Structure formats: structure tokens, C-alpha cells
Amino acid sequence: MSRSNIPATRSAASRGRRHTAARAVRIVIDADDHPAWTAAALDAHSPENGRVTLHPSPGSSAPPALAQDILCALGKRLPPRGMDAPRHRASWADMVGPAWTAAASWINAYRTGHLIVLRAHTLTPARWEQLDTLRARTGIHLTLIWHRKPDTRLTEHAARLSTGYQKTDGFDAARDRLREKGPAHPGTRPHTDGPDTHTRGSGHELIEQVQQIGHPLHAGLLAAQLLSHTDEAEQLAAVRLADLAPDATALALPRRPYRPTSTRHWHSVLTWAQPLLIAARAWHYLNGHHHPSRHLFQHTNFHHHNQLTDILTASGITPAINILTGDPAWPTPATPPR
């Protein structure tokens, strides 16, 4: 294993564009697959400092698998997967677009600045493209660790990147790179407090469960429900992007009748809930829904209703959402025999 302090670097421009070294993807070469490199990457994992180290699940070929790994590395719990579940019970996390958008939303909400990916040589070119797209959507610094000697596969994979890249094969230089925080200032992390700074017991456990929910809209809706002590689905459905303060320290809920012109009552947002609401807002922005009148907790299909209800069955609370009665995709209860 080389321990040179002088990295061997190479810059490349892709797709006819030039980028600064600060934005380039860093490819770390661990030619001998030495345990010290993996240990250094795992030691660098520090979400509270804006660094996340990802160890991809081995053998998983599902298209959204890498996004699911990122969500788990961020402390998120994915919906249970039922092999025999009907189509209307399909998980959002098993769909490529929603899974990657959720990962990007949480990275933005927690202000994660640096993503380190181990075993990059085992990932397909499509996975490299997905990571590069995530980097472009979030501004995150991306470091890929290649645990084998450079070869034509590395060249082919790197050609998929939309930005330049730098190659490093010196251990000390690579270790210094792994410790970088990235461009974002780390934000509030999950599990730093409960519903307030003194709450313990069942209330604290409930908050932890909500903080672990993987879908940003699900987590944000439940955070708003718990903060405002409301169980009116119509009231939460009427909350707009404009009703969340820019720093997510306050949330306005409309008074009856629930219209855009209704007067609103502002609620303070406790620290634990702020990143959940920021992630919900980021979900809309990443999907191109920027208008302030956009409904923050609007659930647009049956997947949200089914899965959110399933998640909370064991929690003892009922989500403030309306069942989509009359929707052809909604399961119709069987008629009991006479």
C-alpha cells in the first residue's frame, strides 16, 4: 500500500464542459484493496459533521438499491417489502425516481456536504450516473473509492460523470480528502432531541419513529400533526409552501374555512422537527414544484395513504389524511358471505 503524501491526480472534462477542481468528483484508488482504506472511510462517517460514508449492499441489483442504501445511511427506515403485496401496496422506495428524490431531500435537509462511497468498482456505470445526478441536485462533494488497480472499466465509468474528476492513490492524501466536510454547513441531525428538551418515555419514542421515516412528505406531515396537535386532514392539506418559514422555525396553519385567503395561526417548530419540514419542502423543489401556493403536504396518490397508515399502525396514532374513497386503485373490501 502506497503512503505517499503526493497524490497522483488526473483531471478530465466530460460532455464538453469545464469544471473547477473544487466541484470535481474525487476517485480514490485503493489498488491493493487494503483494509486501512476501508477503515479510514468508515471512520470518516460523521453525519453531525456533514459526512456520510456509504457501503453499498452487496449483490443488490434493484434499480433504486443505492438510493435505499443512502437513506439507511442517513438513519431512515424504509417501508416493509411484501413479496406478494398487490400493486397498490407497492413501496415508493422501490421506485427509482421517488427513492433518489427522497435521498436528495434528506441530504439537503441535514445539510450533508460530503458523500463517500466504498466499493465503487462493484457499481455499474448506471449507478455512477445516479450518484453524479445526486451530486448535481444537492451540491454535495462526492468521493468514490475504487478498490482495485485502475483499468479500462474505471475509464468507462468515469466517462459517465458530468463533471471533471480527480484521481488520488496516496493514502495520506486520500485520508485528508475523506475528512473534508464539503460545501454545506451541517444542519440539525436526527435524534438530537425529543418533542422538547426534557421529554422522555413514549413521547420520545414516538418522535424517534417519526424522525426515522424515509419519505419526506410522510415525516413532514406527521411532524406538523404532532407540533400543532391537530387531527384535521383538511387543515394540514391546506398548508402551503409559503406557510413554512424559510428556516423552518415556524409553521402556519389555516383557520376555518381552509382556503388560500384564510387567516393563519403560526406555530413554533421545535428543533427535532425542522429538518423533517425542510425535507418535505425540498421534495417539492426537487420535483419542480416551486410556487409558494403549492400544498406542502398534498398527497397525490394512493401509495401515500396506504403506506403512511401502515407505518403508523404500531405507533398508536392515526395520520391526519383522508382516505381516497372512490379511487379505482383503492382496494375494495371483500363483501362478507351471507
Side-chain angles (χ1 to χ4, degrees), residues 88-227:
H88 64 263
R89 292 278 177 169
S91 168
W92 60 267
D94 291 328
M95 294 179 261
V96 176
W100 280 101
T101 300
S105 298
W106 290 116
I107 284 174
N108 283 329
Y110 293 133
R111 299 182 183 176
T112 302
H114 189 182
L115 178 63
I116 302 162
V117 183
L118 287 161
R119 321 308 299 176
H121 67 285
T122 67
L123 302 178
T124 64
R127 297 290 183 271
W128 279 50
E129 286 187 346
Q130 289 173 331
L131 288 168
D132 187 48
T133 299
L134 180 71
R135 179 204 57 76
R137 297 177 87 184
T138 62
I140 199 170
H141 280 182
L142 178 61
T143 298
L144 306 174
I145 304 183
W146 183 273
H147 300 272
R148 60 183 298 173
K149 291 180 173 62
D151 54 19
T152 56
R153 289 182 62 251
L154 173 59
T155 303
E156 293 170 355
H157 281 51
R160 299 293 189 100
L161 300 174
S162 63
T163 182
Y165 70 91
Q166 291 185 332
K167 192 170 66 175
T168 301
D169 59 10
F171 181 78
D172 291 338
R175 184 171 53 188
D176 290 342
R177 165 65 178 177
L178 296 176
R179 292 172 179 169
E180 294 178 5
K181 295 181 180 180
H185 297 291
T188 303
R189 296 301 309 163
H191 317 304
T192 55
D193 55 14
D196 57 53
T197 55
H198 304 291
T199 300
R200 292 294 181 268
S202 59
H204 184 76
E205 293 174 0
L206 176 59
I207 295 303
E208 286 191 333
Q209 292 176 18
V210 173
Q211 288 176 319
Q212 293 170 3
I213 290 175
H215 197 299
L217 294 186
H218 296 175
L221 174 72
L222 293 173
Q225 182 176 346
L226 294 176
L227 289 168

